[in-house]
């Protein structure tokens, strides 16, 4: 049986390439040959801690081509370009029958790699066997690099849609990484009047300006003063927390105005120190976004394909599987000069 290398985190600060049998489809599954897979912030956090959310989501930002389909699969065919996604709501679980299809249990299990067809590894591999609900056809106008970034772009689309953003709002985006830079673009597309990006890295601040940020600033007292000046002392209408560190949760609340909104997008591990009195006094509306809905993928692909949201500028480095452990270390330690790293398992 042919084998292939599979990248899996198997300890704190350690990713190992394991040899696994090359997948073949069962009647109800399909096999995707991975073209590119993005490194997500959650991959970096998992590498630092050694704690995987699920092996199936160790490398969950992938795109590729359908290599083989099972006899029962009807939604895609061999040769289709696809991006990773989630299925429509099942219509049968408790949340669905209660009218909350956006919280379908089957979709949630698919998101976290715990559904019946979840593989024992993610997209850091040449091939992957998944259920048909895990893919949608890629918009043919997308490049491979854009297709591999549709998953995180859909996360941020979902977040901004949930955040209560109104036309003309002043928005602060904490973090100028790939999540923050796509959040910035969705906020602008959604009608934000003024956008401020808080980011410590100079080249990411420059990229934020290129992608439409009105003001960029390093975190700290300078950022606090700038937000006050930009909002006549009120604070931002909406703050998007895209850093994913415990200490930045409270910072987001500190920067928002009374009655404003904070949207948590970055996944902070561990307990976050907060000042509850500030949340109470400000009457902050808090939203959060874990992932996305099935129908959002078509919208996102269309807006990327027509240029309203730009993903190509984020991608500035491509590596092979053999360089993955070292790149995770560089990203975790802040030594990497790159914004969005894509892994090509064919290298």
């Amino acid at each position: 049986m042919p084998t292939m290398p599979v990248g899996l985190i198997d300890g704190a600060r350690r990713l190992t390439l394991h040899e696994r049998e090359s997948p073949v489809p069962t009647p109800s599954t399909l096999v995707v040959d991975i073209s590119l897979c993005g490194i997500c912030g959650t991959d970096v956090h998992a590498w630092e801690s050694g704690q995987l959310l699920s092996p199936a989501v160790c490398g969950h930002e992938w795109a590729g081509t359908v290599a083989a389909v099972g006899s029962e699969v009807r939604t895609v065919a061999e040769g289709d370009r696809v991006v990773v996604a989630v299925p429509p709501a099942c219509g049968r679980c408790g949340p669905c029958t209660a009218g909350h299809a956006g919280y379908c249990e089957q979709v949630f299990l698919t998101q976290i790699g715990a559904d019946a067809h979840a593989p024992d590894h993610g997209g850091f591999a040449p091939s992957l066997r998944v259920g048909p609900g895990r893919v949608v056809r890629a918009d043919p106008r997308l490049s491979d690099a854009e297709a591999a970034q549709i998953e995180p772009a859909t996360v941020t689309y979902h977040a901004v849609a949930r955040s209560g953003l109104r036309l003309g709002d002043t928005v602060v985006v904490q973090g100028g990484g790939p999540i923050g830079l796509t959040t910035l673009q969705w906020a602008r597309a959604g009608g934000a009047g003024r956008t401020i990006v808080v980011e410590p890295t100079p080249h990411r601040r420059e990229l934020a300006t290129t992608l439409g940020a009105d003001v960029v600033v390093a975190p700290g007292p300078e950022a606090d003063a700038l937000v006050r000046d930009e909002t006549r002392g009120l604070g931002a209408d909406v703050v998007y927390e895209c850093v994913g560190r415990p200490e930045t949760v409270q910072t987001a609340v500190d920067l928002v105005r009374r009655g404003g909104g904070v949207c948590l997008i970055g996944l902070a591990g561990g307990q976050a120190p907060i000042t509850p009195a500030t949340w109470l006094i400000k009457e902050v509306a808090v939203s959060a976004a874990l992932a996305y809905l099935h129908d959002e993928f078509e919208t996102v692909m269309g807006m990327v394909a027509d240029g309203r949201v730009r993903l190509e500028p984020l991608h500035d480095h491509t590596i092979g599987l053999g360089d993955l452990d070292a790149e995770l270390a560089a990203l975790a330690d802040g030594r990497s000069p790159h914004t969005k790293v894509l892994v090509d398992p064919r290298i």
Side-chain angles (χ1 to χ4, degrees), residues 117-137:
H117 294 307
D120 61 359
H121 62 87
F124 296 140
S127 299
L128 187 62
R129 181 174 59 214
V130 294
R134 196 59 169 140
V135 299
V136 295
R137 289 188 180 93

Side-chain angles (χ1 to χ4, degrees), residues 170-193:
T170 294
V171 162
V172 169
V173 177
Q174 287 195 150
I179 292 297
L181 292 172
T182 50
T183 298
L184 161 69
Q185 294 183 76
W186 291 123
R188 293 183 71 246

Side-chain angles (χ1 to χ4, degrees), residues 253 258 275-284:
V253 176
R258 289 196 68 207
T275 307
T278 307
W279 299 53
L280 183 69
I281 291 167
K282 287 191 170 184
E283 294 192 348
V284 175

Side-chain angles (χ1 to χ4, degrees), residues 31-36 63-67 125-128 345:
V31 173
V32 177
D33 285 343
I34 304 297
S35 56
L36 291 168
T65 302
V66 176
S127 299
L128 187 62

Side-chain angles (χ1 to χ4, degrees), residues 84-163:
V84 60
V86 290
C90 72
R92 300 181 300 275
C93 67
C96 280
T97 56
H100 307 303
Y103 297 95
C104 171
E105 291 176 354
Q106 185 56 47
V107 172
F108 175 68
L109 290 174
T110 304
Q111 289 168 350
I112 64 173
D115 62 296
H117 294 307
D120 61 359
H121 62 87
F124 296 140
S127 299
L128 187 62
R129 181 174 59 214
V130 294
R134 196 59 169 140
V135 299
V136 295
R137 289 188 180 93
D139 189 304
R141 297 171 292 173
L142 298 176
S143 68
D144 283 349
E146 289 172 326
Q149 296 178 79
I150 290 299
E151 194 272 353
T154 309
V155 169
T156 53
Y157 172 90
H158 180 73
V160 173
R162 283 183 46 77
S163 68

